[in-house]
Amino acid sequence: MDISIRKGNLVQEKTDLLVVNLFEGEGDLGGATAAVNASLSGKLVTFAGDDGFKGKLGSTYLMHTDGAMTAKRVLLVGLGKKEDFSLEAVRQAAAVSLNTAKALGIKKISSVLHGAGAGELPARECARAMVEGVRLADYAFTKYKKAKHESPKTFDIVSKNGRDVRSGERGVQDGETYAIGVLFARDLVNTPGGDMHPEVLVEAAQEIVKGKGTLRVRVYDKEKLEKMGAGGLLGVAQGSDAPPYMVHMVYKPKGKAKKKVALVGKAVTFDSGGLSLKPSGAMETMKIDMAGSAAVLGVFAAIDQLAPNVEVHGIFGAVENMPSGRAIRPGDVITAMNKKTIEVLNTDAEGRLTLADTLSYAVKQKPDYIIDLATLTGACVVALGEEITAVMSNNAELAGQIVSTAAQAGEKMWEMPLEKNYRKLIDSPIADVKNIGSRWGGALTAGLFLQEFVDDVPWAHLDIAGPAFAERVIDPYTPKGATGHAVRTLLQLLSNI
Ligand code: BES
Ligand code: ZN
Ligand code: ZN
């Protein structure tokens, strides 16, 4: 599907579907909506009102023009209440129009630039949000399906305002960049564990850097990990037939870097729990346990195009967590890369063992700050539900920055505390630390565990266990399955620096 923005008069568009919008409870129509309504002798708004259309966000009213216009059909999309209006409404309105077109098998769409007129938002941001909404809504994971995925051919954003079109062109590019990152992550996370071994993630990293002068990658195999003392990665991997790898990608900007940031992702390609075996229901979605690394790879898939003035290090340790005669046992003690010892009481709390090494490694790169992303705890999903990521940090400013950047990028994140008084819950009688806390506050004791491996580098831990995968449709651009969550926030964070 081609998405573009151009100057033109919507009323004269020759198209299968003409998209205009309406705020909830507003008598005043926006310019384009008023013009289209006039071309239809006022019937669009009258009929829509008769049929109960109120302009609620995500609602639609479809009308055939019956030759009254060069467009075959007009779709009126609700933007919600004006006082609640934001780029998120723009994203959703664009996604809803794409979903409607897809359901009708429509090939050619011409849409108003939502938000730039009566919505009074900057045209570049509106265009970006529209492209994000359309691309993310259009996504389908069809690798294992016979039925082909049918998309519309063109989605044209049309505006009378030349200035809006010029800044909108940059917004369309921005939107494409962000979407590349999100969709790259979705594909990796949706891939079943049987086809997503640690080396597949290594290959994905190598594929991304190919031919890009700003990117390089270094891969550590099992032998190298043994020399480096990566007891966490080796311990988790020892029950699996698939060998472990650690991957270190680097992006260096063309100009001088303003900051150096390390992004660390959990990359457990399948989490059976190991000998602390999960019940079968809990295992059904555990192919998603590499979503943290998928977010990091998604960022790197888009970073050359985003071109932020930041040096970025992407690090993940890829392993599979399986039970076998060689598997790590409850009660075993391992030594992480920073020489701290860990009593492994539950082999299903494996993500933190892998992060113990990859965070220790990230510290050695001397970054200004570290952000890790991990589908780390079921407890986090209990606390914040399926749509919100928990942010834990040793640096209040960094935590605040991440939460507000997430809101800017249209993702939901919320800070949770690294409560000092809970640190004793992970004291071990025989090692420096144990890998589980008590029954309560499981997301926080996991965060406190990770803190043992970051020294005093400013660091934030993002527990994405809930939002990484949608068990149901979340919104018009987040269908069931992998979401690519956190990619937009990270790209936004890097581009804001
Ligand atoms: N990968 C899981 C966490 C998870 C749960 C992610 C649900 C996504 C959805 C993690 O490795 C795990 O199993 N954590 C345990 C920790 C416990 C044993 C302390 C958990 O949350 O139950
Ligand atoms: Zn686990
Ligand atoms: Zn896990």
Side-chain angles (χ1 to χ4, degrees), residues 180-261:
I180 283 171
V182 176
L183 300 187
F184 193 90
R186 281 188 187 176
D187 270 345
L188 290 175
V189 176
N190 277 325
T191 303
D195 286 334
M196 177 50 67
H197 290 121
E199 68 265 26
V200 177
L201 289 174
V202 173
E203 285 159 14
Q206 287 166 334
E207 198 55 41
I208 286 171
V209 306
K210 215 178 256 173
K212 290 184 192 133
T214 56
L215 295 179
R216 57 188 168 78
V217 63
R218 190 186 292 168
V219 179
Y220 299 91
D221 63 10
K222 188 173 169 219
E223 218 172 286
K224 290 199 190 105
L225 290 172
E226 278 163 359
K227 284 198 185 111
M228 294 160 89
L233 288 167
L234 293 162
V236 175
Q238 76 190 41
S240 167
D241 288 340
Y245 291 94
M246 188 169 75
V247 174
H248 177 185
M249 308 173 79
V250 184
Y251 162 80
K252 283 207 170 126
K254 295 216 170 82
K256 195 177 149 20
K258 286 192 179 144
K259 282 251 152 50
K260 181 165 161 183
V261 176

Side-chain angles (χ1 to χ4, degrees), residues 55-68:
K56 280 201 181 356
L57 181 60
S59 66
T60 56
Y61 184 75
L62 180 72
M63 181 177 160
H64 281 252
T65 62
D66 194 24

Side-chain angles (χ1 to χ4, degrees), residues 266 271 278 286 288-289 346 348-352 375-379 381 436 465:
K266 173 174 171 180
D271 182 12
K278 285 183 186 293
M286 278 305 130
I288 73 158
D289 220 16
N346 190 318
D348 195 14
E350 84 298 337
R352 64 196 77 182
T375 46
L376 203 62
T377 65
V381 193
I436 49 171

